[in-house]
Amino acid sequence: EADGRRVVLARHNAPGVRDPRALTARERDVLAYVAQGHGNKYVGYALGLSTTTVATHLRRALRKLGLTTRRDAIALFEAAVRTGRP
């Protein structure tokens, strides 16, 4: 924009693609603990959050990723580890 011109970049986002960049930092933190099999109480203790706040972050993260259960989150993380993709 220094020369008075603007550039617009666009890319096609296929439906159903799970993009972890859509998550906030706190949602990623909560999801990482959950994916390791920890319960909301432990996650809250580890991150200094209430269990209700943990549940809220988890619910929002799952929704953003198109997942419905904790088990889905664990499977997603395991698949990422197997393929070497974060």
Side-chain angles (χ1 to χ4, degrees):
E1 191 174 307
D3 62 356
R5 297 180 185 178
R6 294 184 184 200
V7 176
V8 177
L9 298 177
R11 68 180 174 104
H12 178 72
N13 292 322
V17 173
R18 298 177 181 132
D19 187 2
R21 293 175 297 181
L23 302 177
T24 65
R26 187 56 84 182
E27 289 168 346
R28 284 192 301 271
D29 293 342
V30 168
L31 199 56
Y33 276 100
V34 168
Q36 294 173 17
H38 298 295
N40 288 1
K41 189 172 183 178
Y42 178 84
V43 175
Y45 177 78
L47 297 176
L49 304 171
S50 72
T51 54
T52 306
T53 302
V54 170
T56 300
H57 285 308
L58 178 60
R59 185 180 70 248
R60 289 179 181 165
L62 292 176
R63 186 183 69 234
K64 287 179 182 178
L65 294 175
L67 306 174
T68 55
T69 65
R70 296 170 88 92
R71 207 172 263 194
D72 293 340
I74 292 169
L76 180 65
F77 270 69
E78 287 175 350
V81 169
R82 278 194 308 272
T83 61
R85 295 181 182 161

